[in-house]
Amino acid sequence: MALLSNNHLISVSRYEEPRPKLLAVPPDGVVHSWTIVPPAYTLSRSVEVLLAIGETIYVVDATESEDRMLDIGPFIHISVSPNGKFAALYTESGKAYVITSDFQNRLSEHDSRAKTLPVDLLWCGNDAVVIAWEDEVHLIGPKGSAAKFFYDGRVHAIAGIYNPVL
């Protein structure tokens, strides 16, 4: 996936036979952040892109660019849960939201009260979100429960998927 300077998105589904495909054209404006939703987690079974433009999120796929009508942005970080059911959003004002992937329900809200922007926002499994700064981590659980961790050195957060063998 590539985001061009004019906000157009190009998708390449197979590296063996690269055939770039232009997705629907999103609106003009500054893209604050973006992320990919894998085809396995979309209704259309094709790749979708979440674009943070202005105060809202646009869902862009091969045929349309749809405004999700949010008014709590701009969002500087977006992350989709490993199971595709949830999205985590982080605003410039320091608030984190966990919402359902259809953007119909806001499940939790966390005010980090941070004066600096985080380095990353990622999922820890499907139930918790990690907000990472250079020397601080907030672990946000269900219903907005939170734990804060402080470190002397620089933090490096890496998302992983826990898949136990049964």
Side-chain angles (χ1 to χ4, degrees), residues 43-116:
L43 291 175
S44 66
R45 294 294 180 217
S46 63
V47 70
E48 291 180 354
V49 178
L50 304 181
L51 286 175
I53 299 175
E55 300 276 310
T56 190
I57 300 282
Y58 288 87
V59 178
V60 181
D61 62 17
T63 59
E64 66 181 340
S65 174
E66 184 178 347
D67 185 350
R68 290 303 184 180
M69 303 302 221
L70 300 176
D71 61 358
I72 52 177
F75 304 103
I76 58 162
H77 288 288
I78 307 170
S79 183
V80 176
S81 65
N83 66 5
K85 294 181 180 180
F86 311 107
L89 311 169
Y90 190 89
T91 68
E92 286 182 338
S93 64
K95 290 190 178 181
Y97 298 93
V98 175
I99 60 174
T100 54
S101 60
D102 63 3
F103 292 83
Q104 297 301 309
N105 298 306
R106 191 181 307 174
L107 303 175
S108 68
E109 177 179 332
H110 170 74
D111 188 350
S112 70
R113 295 184 174 83
K115 302 293 185 230
T116 59

Side-chain angles (χ1 to χ4, degrees), residues 125-139:
N126 289 304
D127 298 320
V129 175
V130 172
I131 307 169
W133 288 265
E134 287 190 13
D135 60 353
E136 183 176 341
V137 171
H138 293 192
L139 180 63

